[in-house]
Amino acid sequence: LAYKLVKSSTKETPVYPEDPAIFSGTGPGDLRFEDGKLAEGTWRYRLIIITRFNDRWVSAPVTVVVDGDALKRAAPTAADFEDQ
């Protein structure tokens, strides 16, 4: 059993292997992925499960809209580095 997660900003329904996997897993504990490469725009994610017989189960695409303002953070100040 293998899990593949694909991501696209240009396709409504990303497909593996045409769209490269941003995450791959093989164990039952592979349940979490955090995308550390967020950018402004509309992103579609899709999970593909490949069985040991090479059958594929594919999720519906999940759309995430990232607003550019949500990615901006205030610059750190000295208070951010003080022990509390």
Side-chain angles (χ1 to χ4, degrees), residues 45-47 58-62:
Y45 294 82
R46 201 170 192 197
L47 179 66
V58 182
S59 74
V62 174

mmCIF file of all heavy atoms in Angstrom, residues 45-47 58-62:
data_model
loop_
_atom_site.group_PDB
_atom_site.id
_atom_site.type_symbol
_atom_site.label_atom_id
_atom_site.label_comp_id
_atom_site.label_asym_id
_atom_site.label_seq_id
_atom_site.Cartn_x
_atom_site.Cartn_y
_atom_site.Cartn_z
ATOM 1 N N TYR A 45 -5.253 19.826 -3.977
ATOM 2 C CA TYR A 45 -4.549 18.650 -3.467
ATOM 3 C C TYR A 45 -5.398 17.418 -3.749
ATOM 4 O O TYR A 45 -6.627 17.486 -3.733
ATOM 5 C CB TYR A 45 -4.344 18.759 -1.957
ATOM 6 C CG TYR A 45 -3.430 19.875 -1.530
ATOM 7 C CD1 TYR A 45 -3.896 21.180 -1.401
ATOM 8 C CD2 TYR A 45 -2.089 19.631 -1.245
ATOM 9 C CE1 TYR A 45 -3.063 22.209 -1.000
ATOM 10 C CE2 TYR A 45 -1.251 20.660 -0.842
ATOM 11 C CZ TYR A 45 -1.741 21.936 -0.717
ATOM 12 O OH TYR A 45 -0.912 22.958 -0.319
ATOM 13 N N ARG A 46 -4.722 16.290 -3.964
ATOM 14 C CA ARG A 46 -5.440 15.049 -4.216
ATOM 15 C C ARG A 46 -4.619 13.883 -3.681
ATOM 16 O O ARG A 46 -3.415 13.821 -3.870
ATOM 17 C CB ARG A 46 -5.641 14.895 -5.715
ATOM 18 C CG ARG A 46 -6.742 13.969 -6.098
ATOM 19 C CD ARG A 46 -7.002 14.104 -7.571
ATOM 20 N NE ARG A 46 -8.240 13.434 -7.919
ATOM 21 C CZ ARG A 46 -8.572 13.101 -9.141
ATOM 22 N NH1 ARG A 46 -7.763 13.373 -10.139
ATOM 23 N NH2 ARG A 46 -9.705 12.507 -9.382
ATOM 24 N N LEU A 47 -5.288 12.967 -3.025
ATOM 25 C CA LEU A 47 -4.631 11.794 -2.459
ATOM 26 C C LEU A 47 -4.869 10.589 -3.360
ATOM 27 O O LEU A 47 -5.995 10.338 -3.788
ATOM 28 C CB LEU A 47 -5.190 11.504 -1.063
ATOM 29 C CG LEU A 47 -4.598 10.291 -0.360
ATOM 30 C CD1 LEU A 47 -3.131 10.516 -0.048
ATOM 31 C CD2 LEU A 47 -5.388 9.993 0.902
ATOM 32 N N VAL A 58 -8.568 7.146 -5.744
ATOM 33 C CA VAL A 58 -8.235 8.561 -5.856
ATOM 34 C C VAL A 58 -9.306 9.402 -5.161
ATOM 35 O O VAL A 58 -10.495 9.202 -5.372
ATOM 36 C CB VAL A 58 -8.124 8.971 -7.342
ATOM 37 C CG1 VAL A 58 -7.720 10.417 -7.473
ATOM 38 C CG2 VAL A 58 -7.126 8.077 -8.073
ATOM 39 N N SER A 59 -8.848 10.339 -4.342
ATOM 40 C CA SER A 59 -9.793 11.221 -3.655
ATOM 41 C C SER A 59 -10.300 12.298 -4.600
ATOM 42 O O SER A 59 -9.707 12.573 -5.648
ATOM 43 C CB SER A 59 -9.115 11.890 -2.463
ATOM 44 O OG SER A 59 -8.226 12.902 -2.903
ATOM 45 N N ALA A 60 -11.361 12.931 -4.189
ATOM 46 C CA ALA A 60 -11.799 14.147 -4.879
ATOM 47 C C ALA A 60 -10.773 15.234 -4.571
ATOM 48 O O ALA A 60 -10.152 15.223 -3.508
ATOM 49 C CB ALA A 60 -13.172 14.559 -4.370
ATOM 50 N N PRO A 61 -10.565 16.170 -5.489
ATOM 51 C CA PRO A 61 -9.618 17.253 -5.205
ATOM 52 C C PRO A 61 -10.109 18.126 -4.044
ATOM 53 O O PRO A 61 -11.305 18.349 -3.885
ATOM 54 C CB PRO A 61 -9.597 18.066 -6.504
ATOM 55 C CG PRO A 61 -10.152 17.165 -7.548
ATOM 56 C CD PRO A 61 -11.103 16.241 -6.839
ATOM 57 N N VAL A 62 -9.161 18.587 -3.252
ATOM 58 C CA VAL A 62 -9.446 19.518 -2.158
ATOM 59 C C VAL A 62 -8.815 20.847 -2.545
ATOM 60 O O VAL A 62 -7.625 20.916 -2.852
ATOM 61 C CB VAL A 62 -8.856 19.008 -0.826
ATOM 62 C CG1 VAL A 62 -9.024 20.050 0.265
ATOM 63 C CG2 VAL A 62 -9.486 17.689 -0.444
#
